[in-house]
Amino acid sequence: QPDGKPYSNPAEMSGQILAAAEQSGLALTLLPVLYCRSGFGSPDVTARQGRFRNTSAQYLNLWQRCAEMLQQQTLHRLGLAPHSLRAVAAEQLAEVLQACRGVDQPIHIHIAEQQREVDECEASLGARPVRWLLDQHDIDHDWCLVHATHMDAGEFSAVLKSHAVVGLCPSTEADLGDGYFDIINWFEQAGRFGIGSDSNLRLSPIEELRMLEFQARLQSGKRNVLSGPGFSCGRSLWQQALTGGAQALGQKVGRIAPAYRADLIELDEHHILLDGRKGDSLLDSWIMAGEQSMIRTVWVGGQKRVVEGRHVARDALQAACRKVMLELL
């Protein structure tokens, strides 16, 4: 609760997130966050952070309750999210990972987001954050390293070999002035990446991809940098993000193939900026110059959720959202 006291149901927030996903028809990978302290060397959180503090034991109780809520769900699954090495002590991270060992689930952690974080980690743990994580835990396909902005050459190579996915949030990293991820080198070596919006400054996957390509152009002095052989830049970005995003979510999505869920987007080919375009040029126009109005239809698990550019429950959901926002203000 706002004063830091637990709700009678410690999974109240997770339950509300799940209910929102159900109501809007979204597929969800729920990642309860473990947050124990305000920074390296700190014994606890600050007073303002009390509302999201958990001990390891409290977190494992929360995680178990979430697992119970998600039983028999077909669109949703559960994962772990130890927030960061600065917010979770080494022994707390080890305790939670050990308790959940053997469970197939995605694990997300913010890592090497700022140079200050790297410096403080070296002072506290004796190693850079990505290096410490690699040395202390088995980092593999299940892990999503969010940001991973400040890696040295050794860390970069080791993460590539681990088959972990990096979760890139270009709008957040720009907003906070955190720096550039080495996307050019990562892309050339077939590194896996998904994209997100950590600060929720904007909520647009294509804007994040556009920023990623523009960042690469600014760094290299070239155009169409993040494009694979035989593919346009837009198609390369889109397909790589789908593959990496599916891995980060731990869900069978992102391609049209047997056993993969029918999560599909149809672009409006008669939109003024898409009219007459075909194939890869459609994706290029959408990602490099487009926005939400170019989306005509969205299916989730084969069910239509957006028709002619409007969510099927938009009026009701928008009215409810407006009511809550006005109450909060």
Side-chain angles (χ1 to χ4, degrees):
Q1 300 183 54
D3 61 2
K5 294 179 182 178
Y7 289 102
S8 56
N9 172 13
E12 178 68 27
M13 178 65 77
S14 294
Q16 295 296 337
I17 292 170
L18 179 59
E22 289 287 317
Q23 192 174 7
S24 60
L26 286 173
L28 174 71
T29 295
L30 183 64
L31 297 162
V33 177
L34 175 61
Y35 203 108
C36 306
R37 61 183 187 178
S38 59
F40 290 103
S42 176
D44 205 344
V45 298
T46 66
R48 290 185 63 188
Q49 294 171 326
R51 67 194 184 280
F52 47 80
R53 176 189 182 275
N54 273 302
T55 64
S56 303
Q58 288 171 330
Y59 179 79
L60 289 171
N61 179 36
L62 164 65
W63 185 87
Q64 184 58 46
R65 286 179 177 249
C66 291
E68 293 167 1
M69 287 192 297
L70 287 167
Q71 286 181 346
Q72 310 304 318
Q73 293 282 354
T74 58
L75 291 180
H76 313 312
R77 69 167 306 180
L78 183 62
L80 292 171
H83 181 274
S84 57
L85 296 184
R86 61 180 171 81
V88 180
E91 60 273 14
Q92 293 165 327
L93 178 60
E95 181 181 352
V96 167
L97 293 178
Q98 178 61 37
C100 298
R101 186 180 296 277
V103 179
D104 178 26
Q105 61 189 322
I107 305 169
H108 288 221
I109 187 168
H110 290 221
I111 196 103
E113 180 177 359
Q114 300 174 340
Q115 185 59 50
R116 176 182 172 183
E117 176 191 353
V118 175
D119 297 341
E120 290 179 349
C121 186
E122 286 187 291
S124 178
L125 299 178
R128 298 168 60 86
V130 173
R131 172 49 57 194
W132 186 91
L133 191 67
L134 289 162
D135 289 345
Q136 298 298 321
H137 298 284
D138 295 326
I139 307 304
D140 58 16
H141 182 277
D142 291 331
W143 285 76
C144 177
L145 306 186
V146 182
H147 303 300
T149 306
H150 301 283
M151 293 193 291
D152 64 20
E155 292 170 319
F156 193 95
S157 177
V159 173
L160 274 170
K161 292 176 182 177
S162 76
H163 300 299
V165 61
V166 293
L168 304 180
C169 309
S171 67
T172 296
E173 288 139 13
D175 179 39
L176 300 179
D178 286 340
Y180 294 124
F181 178 81
D182 187 4
I183 187 60
I184 300 175
N185 193 17
W186 189 259
F187 191 91
E188 288 175 349
Q189 298 190 54
R192 306 170 186 208
F193 70 89
I195 48 93
S197 183
D198 178 22
S199 68
N200 292 345
L201 182 70
R202 295 281 293 167
L203 292 173
S204 172
I206 56 171
E207 285 186 25
E208 301 292 340
L209 291 176
R210 185 183 307 151
M211 286 192 69
L212 205 57
E213 167 64 18
F214 286 177
Q215 168 197 314
R217 295 183 186 191
L218 288 168
Q219 289 179 294
S220 67
K222 300 178 182 178
R223 301 177 186 179
N224 300 318
V225 181
L226 305 180
S227 56
F231 294 133
S232 70
C233 185
R235 181 176 175 185
S236 293
L237 280 167
W238 183 246
Q239 290 192 172
Q240 292 277 12
L242 288 181
T243 301
Q247 178 178 330
L249 293 171
Q251 300 220 25
K252 297 275 282 187
V253 293
R255 64 198 326 195
I256 300 174
Y260 279 74
R261 193 171 64 229
D263 288 5
L264 307 169
I265 289 175
E266 177 195 17
L267 297 179
D268 180 5
E269 63 181 350
H270 299 301
H271 186 283
I272 190 63
L273 296 181
L274 299 180
D275 205 7
R277 298 182 182 274
K278 302 293 181 183
D280 286 5
S281 66
L282 276 170
L283 281 174
D284 287 347
S285 296
W286 182 39
I287 291 172
M288 295 305 167
E291 28 74 32
Q292 189 169 308
S293 69
M294 290 182 176
I295 298 173
R296 181 179 181 184
T297 314
V298 176
W299 291 264
V300 179
Q303 301 294 314
K304 281 187 179 181
R305 299 302 182 186
V306 172
V307 179
E308 297 298 336
R310 288 179 60 89
H311 190 283
V312 293
R314 175 177 174 175
D315 292 343
L317 295 176
Q318 189 167 273
C321 181
R322 179 176 288 112
K323 180 177 182 294
V324 171
M325 294 301 295
L326 289 174
E327 288 174 357
L328 291 174
L329 290 171

